[in-house]
Amino acid sequence: MNKDTNSDSSKPKKRRRDEEIEAESSSSDRTLSLEENLTFSDTLVALRIMRAQFPHIDKVSIRPFILQSQLYSSVNDRTQVDRELESLRRERVLRVFKLNTGQDDHAIMFLDDYLNQIECVVKRMEEKKQVNLEVFEWFQTHVLDSKLEPSVGHEELCSLLSIGGKVKDEHISLLINAGILTRQLIDPDMYWFAIPNIGSVLKGLSQGRKEILSFLNRRKYKEMMLALLEKKHLRFSPLDMRFHLRDLIGSGHLKTIHTPTGLVVQISKD
């Protein structure tokens, strides 16, 4: 027995950690209810599981993403979330994106998923016989690898791209049209890094939030059992109820209350 214990403790720490995450992910698939699956031990576990639970969206080609607000509802310590998120960003495990929702929303996407998303966009452009596509390779190799923040200035962007080749205005336009960059409204010389094809999903995100809050506000006590609410079908969002509830709880619009019969979701009082 001692031998087994010693051999386990001698495993490399990263490998043991990956095994723990895998075990937790496999036991927390889409079949578990949100009530059984609301909080996790740390940020990476939460991210992996929420990635696996990302809803399938018809007619939209988008890789799974997680909202920062969802992490806040899933890991009890917000300081821990911010610290671990920063560490994962610096290790190039994931990227954080500022979303164009009119609110302080941030999305998190694993770097591999983001690169796959860009690849899909490039393939479509190749099929349309578009030119100047070399800029996407420059972008991945020289910009993404060295610029980890959610935004980049025009001069710095051109400087990094020029490591790959001679940069033209058409190259920048191509990155914007592909949905990989968006100009900042307050400063047109600054760009946000963006997730291609996310536009219609963001519209659904805003509409789904309104729909849930409106539904609960119409109820007598502005509350409902989580298990019942999770089963409701949303009319105006392609994202599922689980996705929205994690977001609204984490952003503070909703709160959960423990009762003898289970968790109750209630509108937070201003």
Side-chain angles (χ1 to χ4, degrees), residues 86-124:
E86 178 63 15
S87 173
L88 291 165
R89 190 172 67 85
R90 292 194 177 281
E91 289 166 13
R92 294 169 174 76
V93 173
L94 49 78
R95 288 194 74 93
V96 179
F97 301 88
K98 172 82 173 71
L99 295 181
N100 185 23
T101 56
Q103 298 184 40
D104 189 26
D105 286 318
H106 291 82
I108 298 142
M109 188 178 268
F110 282 99
L111 183 59
D112 287 349
D113 284 330
Y114 187 54
L115 294 176
N116 284 337
Q117 186 85 7
I118 293 174
E119 203 176 298
C120 290
V121 173
V122 175
K123 275 182 184 168
R124 279 204 301 277

Side-chain angles (χ1 to χ4, degrees), residues 230-241:
E230 191 188 355
K231 290 174 184 168
K232 283 193 69 64
H233 180 70
L234 289 165
R235 291 164 58 207
F236 302 114
S237 173
L239 299 158
D240 61 14
M241 185 63 88

Side-chain angles (χ1 to χ4, degrees), residues 138 141-143 146 157-167:
W138 303 345
T141 308
H142 306 298
V143 180
S146 60
L157 175 67
C158 291
S159 173
L160 290 168
L161 288 172
S162 68
I163 300 168
K166 187 171 168 52
V167 182

Side-chain angles (χ1 to χ4, degrees), residues 46-62:
L47 286 166
R48 290 262 174 94
I49 292 169
M50 284 191 276
R51 182 198 179 282
Q53 293 173 344
F54 188 81
H56 172 74
I57 302 172
D58 289 333
K59 298 175 187 170
V60 179
S61 172
I62 190 158

Side-chain angles (χ1 to χ4, degrees), residues 7-49:
S7 70
D8 187 58
S9 63
S10 67
K11 276 186 186 179
K13 192 186 256 185
K14 185 177 184 303
R15 193 171 138 214
R16 284 211 312 276
R17 168 135 180 75
D18 286 347
E19 285 173 3
E20 284 165 17
I21 291 167
E22 204 170 309
E24 190 151 353
S25 298
S26 61
S27 66
S28 304
D29 62 13
R30 295 176 63 89
T31 59
L32 282 178
S33 74
L34 186 54
E35 188 163 345
E36 296 168 303
N37 204 207
L38 190 59
T39 56
F40 307 106
S41 57
D42 71 27
T43 305
L44 187 54
V45 168
L47 286 166
R48 290 262 174 94
I49 292 169

Side-chain angles (χ1 to χ4, degrees), residues 18 23 32 46 74 79 107 114 123 131 137 151 161 197 211 233 254 260-261:
D18 286 347
L32 282 178
S74 305
T79 307
Y114 187 54
K123 275 182 184 168
V131 294
E137 191 178 328
S151 63
L161 288 172
N197 303 331
E211 187 179 345
H233 180 70
L254 299 178
T261 51

Side-chain angles (χ1 to χ4, degrees), residues 41-43 75-85:
S41 57
D42 71 27
T43 305
V75 181
N76 292 327
D77 185 344
R78 287 190 176 217
T79 307
Q80 177 193 345
V81 169
D82 291 340
R83 191 175 59 246
E84 292 180 344
L85 209 51

